[in-house]
Amino acid sequence: MLSLQDESIVSPQLQKIFERVRQSADFMPVWQTEKVLSEELGSDWRNKVASIDMRPFAAASIGQVHQAKLPDGKQVAVKIQYPGVASGIESDIRNLLATLNLWNVLPAGLFAENLMDVARRELALEVDYVHEARCARRFKELLTPYTDYYIPEVIDSMSTRQVFTSEMIEGISLDKCVGLDQDIRDEIGTKLFLLTLMEIYEFQYMQTDPNWSNFFYNPVTKQITLLDFGATREYSKAFVDKYVRLIKAAVDGERKAVLEHSRTIGLLTGYESRVMEDAHVEATLIIGEAFSGDGVFDFGKQSVTQRMAGVIAVMIDHRLTPPPEEIYSLHRKLSGVFLLLAKLKARVECGKIFRQIYKKYQFG
């Protein structure tokens, strides 16, 4: 997430370091790659492909990606998980939490143990490529009516818990789109913003990892291609109803309603200090600014990230309760998309899009 931050929060030099870390990875030697493929796809796995490049062309956070061709000629991307990743999650998180507690580096208001519990459950799903395949298929169904988006086909015969295969896609990753013409960046930004709202309001189903490399732009079809569905999760209608009411109160600038809905959804207990209440309401109203108004919201000139930084520091010092579990993944996606659009310097009619989506929303 730090590699997406704007220059007012993280220096350009530090951003480059984070970006290099995000892009880099140690690749498995060929013998180890073949061992995983044999264990997952069977000893005859080579009969399932016409050819495969044993040198990976991309990293995938917990694995590496190879280009291959199926016997029918279809070009595919084969994502192979690093051995031991799944089995090491529990011990890694436990050791991290112990180290943080030992050095007392995290404020109590961050509720580190709750954060780690959520991370543990989410990571357990992310390392299960069967789960990812299921999520990708569902997303493909959900987005079928929306031709601005494309989900690659999952190749079931080449997908297991540690190997995920899908059709090869064409396009430009969004980190390569920052130099495109303004109108193209505006188009990309509009489509991403609309998709994010549809995930919450219409689908209650969201791919919650906003990494640059999970989105590609196809300059020929003008489509946004979505990749990596391991962090996909569903939200209950009851939760979304509460969240939608909270966001609408923020858009309308109704401070009292923001407090009421924040307590209802579980962000506040009702016993917070005035300092905490004021900071929480201020943060929520700042977010609501992007969804209000009739004109274009210029993500390249916004001051939201700077203003939020100071308010969040106050909230961490005075928070009495951890947020609902759903908030961690939801706000990771929302903040990530916001920062991504800021990097693109996209101009989006956010208020118009929000009103259109909200008008169609049906409360349970």
Side-chain angles (χ1 to χ4, degrees), residues 114-352:
N114 295 76
L115 177 61
M116 293 301 175
D117 284 342
V118 172
R120 184 182 292 110
R121 290 191 290 273
E122 291 185 348
L123 287 172
L125 290 176
E126 289 193 47
V127 298
D128 182 357
Y129 287 171
V130 172
H131 165 75
E132 178 174 355
R134 184 165 54 248
C135 293
R137 285 191 293 269
R138 183 171 175 188
F139 242 104
K140 192 172 184 67
E141 292 176 2
L142 289 170
L143 288 174
T144 295
Y146 303 95
T147 57
D148 284 335
Y149 310 98
Y150 188 76
I151 311 295
E153 176 190 356
V154 177
I155 310 301
D156 292 320
S157 63
M158 290 275 292
S159 296
T160 67
R161 285 182 66 87
Q162 294 186 340
V163 175
F164 178 84
T165 305
S166 61
E167 66 174 297
M168 187 68 70
I169 60 101
E170 296 181 357
I172 310 168
S173 61
L174 291 197
D175 58 328
K176 302 295 193 302
C177 294
V178 293
L180 298 181
D181 291 343
Q182 182 68 56
D183 60 334
I184 298 177
R185 286 183 282 120
D186 293 345
E187 176 190 2
I188 294 171
T190 297
K191 290 175 180 177
L192 282 176
F193 184 79
L194 174 59
L195 173 63
T196 303
L197 292 192
M198 287 196 300
E199 287 178 288
I200 305 171
Y201 285 68
E202 294 188 18
F203 307 152
Q204 285 94 60
Y205 196 67
M206 174 175 276
Q207 190 274 63
T208 65
D209 183 358
N211 193 304
W212 283 109
S213 58
N214 291 341
F215 305 94
F216 276 65
Y217 173 69
N218 189 321
V220 177
T221 65
K222 311 298 183 184
Q223 290 177 307
I224 302 293
T225 298
L226 280 65
L227 301 175
D228 197 341
F229 295 89
T232 302
R233 66 159 297 164
E234 190 165 17
Y235 299 98
S236 70
K237 189 68 167 63
F239 169 81
V240 175
D241 280 354
K242 295 172 186 176
Y243 194 79
V244 168
R245 290 188 174 97
L246 174 60
I247 295 300
K248 184 61 166 62
V251 171
D252 294 340
E254 298 179 355
R255 301 181 69 90
K256 185 176 180 181
V258 167
L259 270 178
E260 176 186 341
H261 294 309
S262 295
R263 292 166 183 154
T264 300
I265 202 171
L267 287 168
L268 298 175
T269 65
Y271 297 98
E272 281 77 13
S273 65
R274 182 62 180 271
V275 171
M276 174 60 192
E277 288 188 347
D278 287 346
H280 176 83
V281 171
E282 181 64 21
T284 308
L285 293 178
I286 289 173
I287 294 172
E289 290 178 9
F291 296 80
S292 60
D294 296 320
V296 168
F297 185 83
D298 191 334
F299 283 89
K301 296 180 180 179
Q302 53 79 31
S303 61
V304 170
T305 48
Q306 302 97 304
R307 292 157 63 196
M308 285 291 288
V311 178
I312 288 175
V314 175
M315 292 169 62
I316 289 177
D317 286 341
H318 295 272
R319 184 180 295 281
L320 297 182
T321 185
E325 177 186 344
E326 298 92 336
I327 291 294
Y328 290 101
S329 57
L330 177 56
H331 281 189
R332 178 175 65 238
K333 175 63 175 283
L334 292 177
S335 61
V337 168
F338 193 99
L339 291 169
L340 198 157
L341 298 187
K343 292 282 285 187
L344 288 174
K345 293 182 170 59
R347 301 174 302 189
V348 180
E349 291 183 290
C350 297
K352 178 181 177 181

Side-chain angles (χ1 to χ4, degrees), residues 5-206:
Q5 292 279 1
D6 67 25
E7 295 179 5
S8 64
I9 303 298
V10 178
S11 71
Q13 294 80 9
L14 198 54
Q15 283 189 63
K16 291 178 180 178
I17 294 174
F18 285 131
E19 182 62 20
R20 285 199 299 270
V21 171
R22 183 179 72 83
Q23 293 284 4
S24 65
D26 292 326
F27 295 134
M28 290 184 283
V30 172
W31 69 264
Q32 192 173 39
T33 302
E34 292 179 334
K35 184 173 184 291
V36 175
L37 289 171
S38 181
E39 291 174 348
E40 292 295 309
L41 301 178
S43 58
D44 63 341
W45 67 269
R46 284 193 177 274
N47 295 331
K48 298 180 180 182
V49 295
S51 63
I52 182 170
D53 187 348
M54 296 308 294
R55 179 178 177 81
F57 70 86
S61 67
I62 59 172
Q64 59 193 43
V65 189
H66 297 254
Q67 184 169 0
K69 183 168 69 172
L70 300 183
D72 64 2
K74 181 187 287 290
Q75 296 289 334
V76 297
V78 183
K79 181 166 65 173
I80 306 171
Q81 189 176 128
Y82 300 133
V85 171
S87 59
I89 289 176
E90 182 64 34
S91 61
D92 287 347
I93 290 181
R94 187 168 55 247
N95 292 337
L96 175 60
L97 185 57
T99 301
L100 294 174
N101 287 335
L102 176 64
W103 291 98
N104 195 28
V105 296
L106 296 178
L110 196 59
F111 293 94
E113 291 193 4
N114 295 76
L115 177 61
M116 293 301 175
D117 284 342
V118 172
R120 184 182 292 110
R121 290 191 290 273
E122 291 185 348
L123 287 172
L125 290 176
E126 289 193 47
V127 298
D128 182 357
Y129 287 171
V130 172
H131 165 75
E132 178 174 355
R134 184 165 54 248
C135 293
R137 285 191 293 269
R138 183 171 175 188
F139 242 104
K140 192 172 184 67
E141 292 176 2
L142 289 170
L143 288 174
T144 295
Y146 303 95
T147 57
D148 284 335
Y149 310 98
Y150 188 76
I151 311 295
E153 176 190 356
V154 177
I155 310 301
D156 292 320
S157 63
M158 290 275 292
S159 296
T160 67
R161 285 182 66 87
Q162 294 186 340
V163 175
F164 178 84
T165 305
S166 61
E167 66 174 297
M168 187 68 70
I169 60 101
E170 296 181 357
I172 310 168
S173 61
L174 291 197
D175 58 328
K176 302 295 193 302
C177 294
V178 293
L180 298 181
D181 291 343
Q182 182 68 56
D183 60 334
I184 298 177
R185 286 183 282 120
D186 293 345
E187 176 190 2
I188 294 171
T190 297
K191 290 175 180 177
L192 282 176
F193 184 79
L194 174 59
L195 173 63
T196 303
L197 292 192
M198 287 196 300
E199 287 178 288
I200 305 171
Y201 285 68
E202 294 188 18
F203 307 152
Q204 285 94 60
Y205 196 67
M206 174 175 276

